Amino acid sequence: MTEKPKSGQEDQMKEQPTWHNEALFSKASDSSAQETIDDRLGGARNLDSILRIPVLIQVVLGSATMPVANLMKLGRGAIVPLDHRVGEPVDVVVNGRVIARGEVVVVEDDNSRFGVSLTEIVGPPSSEFNG
């Protein structure tokens, strides 16, 4: 059995848009509408705070699955075959979520370092916005 909202709660839920829907997906045509959105979000000051949050970026070259017994046998010089092949795009992961794919490149300024040239930006899963 699902619990029905108390009278008035259902109407209140329908009337109040969430701040992120209104702020991120509205197309404000005049400056007064934009000012209202900025006021709700705290303006540029809060945006600057958000933009300074560090995130962990990982480039996944591939993965492998093996029994613990085989893992214990690995030693210096052992080769673990990965599921990606040479030339396939690598996944760029931010905080555990794939956000892009790209190709491994050698950094021009320092030939001893690798980088990733992004070839594809991965959109959010469709279920994230469909509720």
Side-chain angles (χ1 to χ4, degrees), residues 42-84:
R45 184 181 69 231
N46 282 347
L47 182 59
D48 288 341
S49 297
I50 291 170
L51 294 175
R52 284 189 297 236
I53 296 172
V55 294
L56 176 64
I57 300 173
Q58 298 172 313
V59 176
V60 180
L61 297 175
S63 62
T65 303
M66 69 176 64
V68 173
N70 290 1
L71 182 64
M72 298 297 291
K73 293 177 186 175
L74 294 177
R76 184 177 200 146
I79 295 175
V80 177
L82 302 175
D83 59 355
H84 276 75

Side-chain angles (χ1 to χ4, degrees), residues 1 9 13 15 18-19 25 28 30 41-43 46 48 52 57 60 63-64 66 73 87 91-92 104 106 109-110:
M1 291 177 77
Q9 277 185 335
M13 288 170 57
E15 292 175 3
T18 56
W19 69 268
F25 302 112
D30 62 349
L41 293 177
N46 282 347
D48 288 341
R52 284 189 297 236
I57 300 173
V60 180
S63 62
M66 69 176 64
K73 293 177 186 175
D91 291 338
V92 178
V104 176
V106 176
D109 299 340
D110 182 359

